[in-house]
Amino acid sequence: MPEGKILKALSGFYYVMSEEGIVQCRGRGVFRKNKVTPLVGDEVVYQAENDSEGYILEVKERKNELLRPPIANVDQALLIFSAVEPSFSTALLNRFLVLVEYNNIQPVIVITKMDLTNENDREQIKRYSMDYRNIGYEVILTSSETEAGLEELYPHLEGKISVFAGQSGVGKSSLLNALKPDLDLKTDNISSHLGRGKHTTRHVELIKVGNGLVADTPGFSSLEFLEIEQEELNFCFPEFQRASENCKFRGCLHLAEPKCAVKMGVEEGSIPEYRYSDYKDFIQEIRERKPRY
């Protein structure tokens, strides 16, 4: 039986890329019965009815999956944040990083709209970039207008399934248009009243960019920590995880415990204070989360 990868899911149809080309498939009824929903990014086995139509028979094991947006087998997440319009938000970036780390997806931080910055903006972005690079994250500064930073971005896409994620209005579609001009994806300007853009992407689809596949997604519709337990949050902050090896207590939550290496790192300046502040807020949020039954 032929095999392929789902590039797009729309109105009950799955568009599968295989050696034979793109085949429009439906899912067999057995999926509904077994509560299996094929996702964009899935490797599947299908049965061809003719050259362009068929049925998906089997969904192969996934290495990861996101439910919002619905996509599987993601290699990396390009977290798209604008330097200005809307303003760069470390709190929102840290939230995205936790969710991506929890799902074992490699993050790359991409800061857009550098052409719109003034000197103060650039200094601030430079400081934040240094902080995140010191943690171990890749940070790329870009502009879709001037195409600055695009050459640095291309190699990261090679041979991978990448998700573009970030709040609306930061220029995800503009960046994709700059990377692949024939896409001509719809973009909307920022609403000055709301300080954010309108969603212009309606469904998840994998687009070939260079030798990689990129998902322009409608964004994470939920940024809540629904699955993460407070004991797991430390593992979503790489610099905390490294420092915690020197904490006095195993399983230290880095809150009120004595001789905590993470708190020591914050005091000494080796761990950014705003990262620790967000960590404490996230712990509180997890503790106040309503139980699900």
Side-chain angles (χ1 to χ4, degrees):
M1 288 290 178
E3 298 182 7
K5 186 191 299 288
I6 298 177
L7 292 187
K8 181 168 72 168
L10 198 58
S11 305
F13 287 101
Y14 302 96
Y15 297 84
V16 177
M17 176 181 69
S18 70
E19 291 176 357
E20 282 73 40
I22 305 290
V23 181
Q24 178 182 283
C25 294
R26 282 195 178 277
R28 283 281 190 212
V30 69
F31 290 129
R32 281 190 295 278
K33 194 171 118 188
N34 296 337
K35 295 185 177 173
V36 173
T37 303
L39 296 175
V40 168
D42 270 332
E43 299 285 346
V44 298
V45 178
Y46 70 94
Q47 180 179 353
E49 299 290 294
N50 52 51
D51 287 346
S52 59
E53 294 177 310
Y55 285 94
I56 292 175
L57 303 177
E58 181 191 341
V59 174
K60 299 202 153 190
E61 189 177 348
R62 297 165 178 157
K63 72 175 183 182
N64 57 40
E65 66 179 272
L66 297 173
L67 296 180
R68 303 180 185 90
I71 188 169
N73 301 317
V74 176
D75 294 308
Q76 65 182 4
L78 272 66
L79 303 181
I80 317 296
F81 278 73
S82 52
V84 292
E85 297 181 20
S87 300
F88 184 73
S89 166
T90 53
L92 192 58
L93 174 55
N94 290 335
R95 185 173 283 271
F96 269 94
L97 284 168
V98 165
L99 290 166
V100 167
E101 292 275 8
Y102 183 74
N103 284 285
N104 295 316
I105 297 169
Q106 179 71 31
V108 177
I109 300 167
V110 180
I111 302 176
T112 60
K113 303 188 185 180
M114 289 302 295
D115 56 302
L116 301 180
T117 57
N118 59 35
E119 194 173 335
N120 285 340
D121 297 328
R122 284 192 291 277
E123 279 303 310
Q124 188 181 44
I125 293 297
K126 194 174 166 185
R127 284 195 299 274
Y128 284 137
S129 298
M130 197 175 296
D131 285 346
Y132 284 102
R133 284 176 181 138
N134 287 339
I135 291 166
Y137 292 121
E138 192 77 41
V139 182
I140 301 172
L141 309 183
T142 68
S143 163
S144 301
E145 288 297 314
T146 66
E147 299 191 354
L150 296 192
E151 285 304 314
E152 200 182 336
L153 194 50
Y154 278 117
H156 288 280
L157 305 177
E158 290 291 298
K160 293 177 180 170
I161 292 183
S162 305
V163 168
F164 274 40
Q167 68 183 127
S168 55
V170 296
K172 296 193 294 290
S173 296
S174 297
L175 188 59
L176 263 174
N177 283 338
L179 287 165
K180 191 175 168 73
D182 60 330
L183 277 178
D184 197 26
L185 293 173
K186 186 173 181 289
T187 60
D188 269 342
N189 292 329
I190 294 283
S191 156
S192 56
H193 174 63
L194 294 173
R196 60 175 188 260
K198 300 172 190 172
H199 281 299
T200 52
T201 313
R202 301 296 174 206
H203 63 275
V204 181
E205 180 175 355
L206 286 174
I207 299 160
K208 203 166 186 335
V209 178
N211 290 321
L213 293 167
V214 172
D216 184 24
T217 77
F220 287 71
S221 58
S222 173
L223 287 172
E224 296 171 30
F225 303 131
L226 300 175
E227 308 289 337
I228 304 172
E229 299 302 332
Q230 64 175 11
E231 295 79 13
E232 298 173 305
L233 192 61
N234 171 66
F235 298 102
C236 301
F237 284 75
E239 73 275 37
F240 288 22
Q241 200 179 343
R242 288 192 293 269
S244 65
E245 291 174 11
N246 297 313
C247 287
K248 182 179 180 182
F249 294 103
R250 202 172 166 188
C252 180
L253 285 178
H254 322 306
L255 298 173
E257 300 90 339
K259 295 189 180 174
C260 167
V262 169
K263 286 191 289 183
M264 224 174 291
V266 176
E267 286 165 20
E268 292 168 356
S270 59
I271 291 176
E273 195 281 328
Y274 59 88
R275 287 274 288 172
Y276 181 62
S277 176
D278 287 339
Y279 169 84
K280 288 191 294 183
D281 288 346
F282 297 162
I283 285 275
Q284 192 61 30
E285 186 178 323
I286 290 167
R287 285 177 172 177
E288 291 173 359
R289 182 175 63 201
K290 289 187 174 68
R292 289 181 300 154
Y293 301 104

